C-alpha cells in the first residue's frame, strides 16, 4: 500500500478569520496537507467557494436551512454535504482526517472537539472556549486516546515552541503576553461610553468579532490563562500575564534554573496555525520577517485588573475550579453578543459575568451533562440580567 504523505485536515469554522488563514497556509503547502472537511455556521457562499477550490471529501453547514443551497452547488463535484450541529461531531470521525483544526467560535466547539478526540484525531486547537468550559474532560480524554492537542493561539503556541526540547524540565512559571487591546491605559470613566466600533479596532491583530471584543475587555487573556492551565498542566500561581503592547514577544516560559525562553515574531496567525498543523516540522514559509529596527523598543506593563475586571474574574474562576470557568464563558458569550448588538454597555459586561458567577450553583467535579446544564442555566440568567 502506498504510504500517505499528506496530512488530512478538517477545519471546523473554515469561513472565519482562523479558518480562512488556515486555508491560505494549506494552499501554500500542497505537498504537506489536503483538506478533508470544511464547515461553516451560516456563510454558505464562502463555504461553497472554498469547497470548489479545495475539493474536500465533505462539508457541513451548521444552519440547516442552508442545506439545499450548499448541496445543489456541490453535488456535481461529488462533495458530500451535511447540515446541523450534530453533523459536525459525526463528520470529524471520517477516516481520511488526521488532524482537526477547531476554528469555530465559542461553546459550539466543545462537542465536535470531544468527538474528534474520541475518534483518535489530533487537534490543532484554536477554539480556546472548549478548554475553558471543560478542560478537565477534554485533556483527560486526549490522554486516554493518545491524542495530541497542538495550540494555535499565538501565546500558547509560543509556550509550546519554548517547551520543545525541554518537555522533561519542570516549568516554574509562564508569562502570557497581552497587547492590552484598544483601551489600554483607559480609566473606568473613559470606558463608560466606549462604542462597539471602538472596541472592534484592535491595534495589532485582525480577528473575528467575538475575540476582538474579548481582547478589548481583557476577557481573552482571562480565557487564555485558563486554556494555559489545561494545555500545560499548571497551577494558577504558575501563570502570569504581562502587557506587551507591540505583540512581538508572544509569550515566555521560566524554568526552574531561572532561565526564560521567549518566542517572538511579527503578529501573524498563519505562523502558529502552520506550526500546529505541521508539528514536529517547521515548514519553510515566506511570511514577513521581523526587523529589529522597526521595533527598537519592546515595552512591558502590569495589566490593570481594577479597570478591566474580566481578567480578575477569570483568575477567580481558575482558583475555584469545577464549573466556574464554564459559567464565566457562557456569561461572557451572552454579554459579548449583547454588546455587539448595542444592547449593553462595555462596563455592563463584567458586571453580568460576576453576578452569574455568584448565583449559578457551584459543582466541584462536573460531568459533561453538568457542564451542559451549567452552560444553559448561565445563558438564561445572563439574558435576564441584561
Ligand atoms: P470568526 O468569528 O472569524 O469565525 C468563526 C467560525 O466559526 C466561522 O467559520 C463561523 O461560521 C463558525 N461558527 C460560528 N459559530 C458557530 C456555531 N455556533 N456552530 C458552528 N460554527 C460556528 O472567529 P475567529 O476565527 O476569530 O476565532 C475562532 C476561534 O479561534 C475562537 O475560539 C477564537 O477565540 C480563536 N482564536 C482566534 C484568533 C484570531 O486571530 N482570529 C487568535 C487566537 C484564537 P460562519 O462564517 O458561517 O458564521
Amino acid at each position: 500500500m502506498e504510504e500517505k504523505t499528506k496530512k488530512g485536515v478538517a477545519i471546523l469554522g473554515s469561513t472565519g478569520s482562523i479558518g480562512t488563514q488556515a486555508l491560505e497556509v494549506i494552499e501554500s503547502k500542497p505537498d504537506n496537507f489536503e483538506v478533508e472537511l470544511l464547515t461553516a455556521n451560516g456563510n454558505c457562499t464562502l463555504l461553497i467557494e472554498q469547497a470548489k477550490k479545495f475539493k474536500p471529501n465533505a462539508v457541513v453547514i451548521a444552519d440547516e436551512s442552508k442545506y439545499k443551497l450548499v448541496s445543489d452547488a456541490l453535488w456535481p463535484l461529488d462533495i458530500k454535504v451535511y447540515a446541523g450541529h450534530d453533523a459536525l461531531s459525526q463528520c470529524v470521525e471520517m477516516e481520511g482526517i488526521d488532524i482537526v483544526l477547531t476554528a469555530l467560535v465559542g461553546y459550539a466547539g466543545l462537542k465536535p472537539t470531544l468527538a474528534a478526540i474520541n475518534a483518535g484525531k489530533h487537534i490543532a486547537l484554536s477554539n480556546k472556549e472548549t478548554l475553558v468550559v471543560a478542560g478537565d474532560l477534554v485533556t483527560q480524554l486526549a490522554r486516554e486516546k493518545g491524542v495530541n492537542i497542538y495550540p494555535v493561539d499565538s501565546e500558547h503556541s509560543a509556550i509550546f515552541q519554548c517547551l520543545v526540547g525541554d518537555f522533561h524540565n519542570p516549568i516554574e512559571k509562564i508569562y502570557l503576553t497581552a497587547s492590552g487591546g484598544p483601551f489600554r491605559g483607559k480609566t473606568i470613566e473613559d470606558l463608560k461610553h466606549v462604542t462597539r466600533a471602538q472596541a472592534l479596532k484592535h491595534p495589532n491583530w485582525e480577528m473575528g468579532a467575538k475575540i476582538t471584543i474579548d481582547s478589548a475587555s481583557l476577557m481573552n487573556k482571562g480565557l487564555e490563562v485558563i486554556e494555559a492551565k489545561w494545555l500545560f498542566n499548571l497551577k494558577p500561581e504558575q501563570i502570569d500575564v504581562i502587557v506587551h503592547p507591540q505583540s512581538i514577544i508572544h509569550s515566555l516560559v521560566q524554568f526552574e534554573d531561572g532561565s526564560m525562553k521567549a518566542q517572538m515574531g511579527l503578529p501573524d496567525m498563519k505562523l502558529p496555525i502552520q506550526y500546529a498543523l505541521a508539528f514536529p516540522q517547521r515548514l519553510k514559509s515566506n511570511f514577513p520577517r521581523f526587523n529589529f529596527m522597526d521595533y527598537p523598543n519592546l515595552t512591558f506593563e502590569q495589566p490593570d485588573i481594577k479597570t478591566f475586571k474580566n481578567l480578575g474574574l477569570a483568575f477567580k474562576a481558575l482558583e475555584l475550579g469545577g464549573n466556574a470557568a464554564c459559567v464565566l464563558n457562557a456569561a461572557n458569550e451572552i454579554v459579548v453578543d449583547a454588546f455587539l448588538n448595542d444592547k449593553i454597555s462595555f462596563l455592563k459586561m463584567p458586571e453580568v459575568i460576576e453576578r452569574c458567577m455568584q448565583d449559578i450553583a457551584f459543582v466541584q467535579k462536573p460531568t459533561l451533562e453538568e457542564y451542559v446544564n451549567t452552560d444553559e442555566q448561565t445563558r438564561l440568567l445572563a439574558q435576564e440580567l441584561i
Side-chain angles (χ1 to χ4, degrees):
M1 213 173 88
E2 223 178 291
E3 208 188 318
K4 193 178 168 194
T5 53
K6 298 181 189 183
K7 274 190 194 171
V9 184
I11 306 180
L12 305 184
S14 62
T15 51
S17 159
I18 293 291
T20 49
Q21 293 181 80
L23 284 173
E24 283 179 49
V25 167
I26 290 174
E27 191 179 6
S28 71
K29 295 285 164 203
D31 295 338
N32 299 89
F33 306 114
E34 65 194 338
V35 178
E36 288 288 330
L37 173 70
L38 296 175
T39 84
N41 194 27
N43 188 348
C44 52
T45 312
L46 184 54
L47 183 66
I48 292 167
E49 197 183 295
Q50 292 176 337
K52 285 184 175 168
K53 185 166 177 185
F54 290 93
K55 311 228 166 23
N57 188 4
V59 301
V60 178
I61 182 87
D63 178 349
E64 297 183 36
S65 69
K66 309 256 170 79
Y67 171 76
K68 192 169 172 336
L69 244 160
V70 182
S71 121
D72 285 354
L74 297 183
W75 76 261
L77 298 172
D78 200 21
I79 296 170
K80 299 179 197 81
V81 179
Y82 302 94
H85 282 96
D86 290 346
L88 292 174
S89 298
Q90 286 152 7
C91 288
V92 290
E93 297 177 358
M94 284 180 349
E95 206 185 324
I97 298 172
D98 300 302
I99 187 160
V100 176
L101 171 63
T102 64
L104 33 61
V105 67
Y107 173 83
L110 176 62
K111 284 186 181 168
T113 306
L114 285 170
I117 297 174
N118 215 14
K121 313 295 184 188
H122 294 301
I123 305 291
L125 185 131
S126 188
N127 177 258
K128 63 191 86 185
E129 294 92 342
T130 288
L131 286 184
V132 172
V133 172
D136 54 346
L137 300 186
V138 174
T139 50
Q140 191 189 323
L141 187 64
R143 275 194 298 276
E144 278 167 28
K145 297 284 174 181
V147 157
N148 293 327
I149 301 180
Y150 302 110
V152 169
D153 228 339
S154 59
E155 294 78 359
H156 305 74
S157 175
I159 302 287
F160 182 58
Q161 293 183 53
C162 293
L163 289 175
V164 171
D166 262 313
F167 285 123
H168 56 290
N169 284 318
I171 296 171
E172 188 169 82
K173 185 169 194 166
I174 66 165
Y175 289 90
L176 296 175
T177 52
S179 70
F183 302 143
R184 181 174 65 90
K186 296 245 183 290
T187 61
I188 293 264
E189 201 46 43
D190 299 332
L191 292 178
K192 272 188 185 154
H193 305 291
V194 292
T195 63
R196 167 186 189 271
Q198 288 168 319
L200 283 171
K201 265 206 193 101
H202 196 279
N204 304 343
W205 298 95
E206 269 195 37
M207 312 178 282
K210 193 243 174 195
I211 184 175
T212 308
I213 301 302
D214 285 346
S215 299
S217 72
L218 286 205
M219 179 54 93
N220 183 48
K221 210 48 56 183
L223 300 179
E224 288 180 6
V225 165
I226 301 168
E227 180 187 10
K229 174 208 156 64
W230 293 113
L231 282 172
F232 306 114
N233 193 19
L234 300 170
K235 298 192 180 74
E237 60 273 19
Q238 288 176 291
I239 309 173
D240 218 332
V241 171
I242 189 88
V243 174
H244 166 46
Q246 298 80 20
S247 297
I248 295 299
I249 294 184
H250 297 306
S251 279
L252 309 91
V253 181
Q254 182 174 306
F255 292 96
E256 288 186 326
D257 61 357
S259 177
M260 296 173 92
K261 275 165 97 175
Q263 188 264 341
M264 59 192 282
L266 291 172
D268 181 352
M269 284 309 294
K270 286 202 275 297
L271 200 146
I273 292 169
Q274 177 171 297
Y275 189 76
L277 292 179
F279 186 84
Q281 272 182 291
R282 280 191 186 274
L283 302 179
K284 195 171 166 58
S285 87
N286 55 10
F287 306 146
R289 273 20 180 190
F290 176 72
N291 178 348
F292 280 91
M293 293 312 113
D294 290 340
Y295 294 88
N297 298 306
L298 297 182
T299 61
F300 304 93
E301 300 161 15
Q302 281 301 331
D304 175 1
I305 57 170
K306 279 213 178 90
T307 308
F308 297 89
K309 294 208 171 94
N310 280 345
L311 184 57
L313 292 174
F315 268 105
K316 190 168 173 202
L318 183 69
E319 292 281 351
L320 287 168
N323 62 345
C326 177
V327 174
L328 174 97
N329 179 71
N332 184 55
E333 288 190 23
I334 295 297
V335 294
V336 169
D337 187 62
F339 178 72
L340 281 169
N341 287 294
D342 294 323
K343 288 188 189 145
I344 56 170
S345 68
F346 189 78
L347 290 177
K348 180 85 179 169
M349 291 196 285
E351 210 182 294
V352 172
I353 298 168
E354 190 169 21
R355 269 290 301 279
C356 288
M357 288 177 68
Q358 284 160 2
D359 291 1
I360 295 288
F362 181 70
V363 184
Q364 182 67 57
K365 193 130 187 41
T367 59
L368 180 58
E369 209 186 337
E370 285 168 321
Y371 278 126
V372 173
N373 285 341
T374 300
D375 178 81
E376 279 171 12
Q377 285 170 20
T378 309
R379 281 167 198 268
L380 288 175
L381 176 60
Q383 293 285 13
E384 270 172 36
L385 294 169
I386 285 171

